[in-house]
Amino acid sequence: MAEPQPTDIQEGDHVPSAEDRKAAAALSNLDANTESNNASRQADTEALGRAMQDLNVRSDATAGAQQEGVNSAVTRKVAKVDATDVTLLVQQLDIPKSKATELLKRNNADVTQSISAWLQAL
């Protein structure tokens, strides 16, 4: 019926598996090497600092380009888009409403120009 158990193991005792032993070893190593952890943390901090500086430089350049875009958007006339035109583009071009609305706004609410622009983009 039941296999005989070794004498040093009592019924109900948990025998650690290989994964349990690896996990216990990894957890004990987390605090063991504080000096090497501090060095790697410092290296990580320096790398993060360099990356953030790079992002700041890029964002400054992007901000200038966006400012130019804002200036051109201010001079653009806002065209009122008719709902029937949006529905027509949605049905004929099989595009979502948001895309149809955007297409019409970019083409001064002209359906013909919007369809031409959409075809040229393909």
Side-chain angles (χ1 to χ4, degrees):
M1 290 93 354
E3 296 180 19
Q5 292 194 4
T7 56
D8 59 336
I9 297 179
Q10 300 297 321
E11 188 172 332
D13 284 350
H14 175 69
V15 179
S17 66
E19 282 186 31
D20 292 338
R21 288 189 297 270
K22 286 181 185 177
L27 287 173
S28 66
N29 282 338
L30 284 176
D31 293 326
N33 299 328
T34 57
E35 290 179 14
S36 65
N37 285 344
N38 287 338
S40 69
R41 283 184 187 158
Q42 184 179 2
D44 289 345
T45 303
E46 290 172 1
L48 178 63
R50 286 191 301 269
M52 292 300 291
Q53 286 176 346
D54 188 36
L55 283 175
N56 287 339
V57 169
R58 288 183 185 172
S59 68
D60 291 344
T62 308
Q66 287 176 348
Q67 184 63 28
E68 291 173 8
V70 168
N71 290 340
S72 66
V74 170
T75 59
R76 177 192 287 178
K77 290 188 334 184
V78 177
K80 183 157 175 95
V81 178
D82 190 17
T84 56
D85 293 340
V86 173
T87 306
L88 176 71
L89 289 181
V90 167
Q91 291 174 349
Q92 296 300 315
L93 302 178
D94 194 29
I95 57 175
K97 275 185 166 182
S98 60
K99 181 73 175 174
T101 305
E102 177 187 334
L103 198 58
L104 283 165
K105 284 182 179 180
R106 278 191 277 141
N107 292 292
N108 298 325
D110 185 0
V111 176
T112 308
Q113 284 180 355
S114 298
I115 292 173
S116 297
W118 185 78
L119 289 172
Q120 287 176 354
L122 292 178

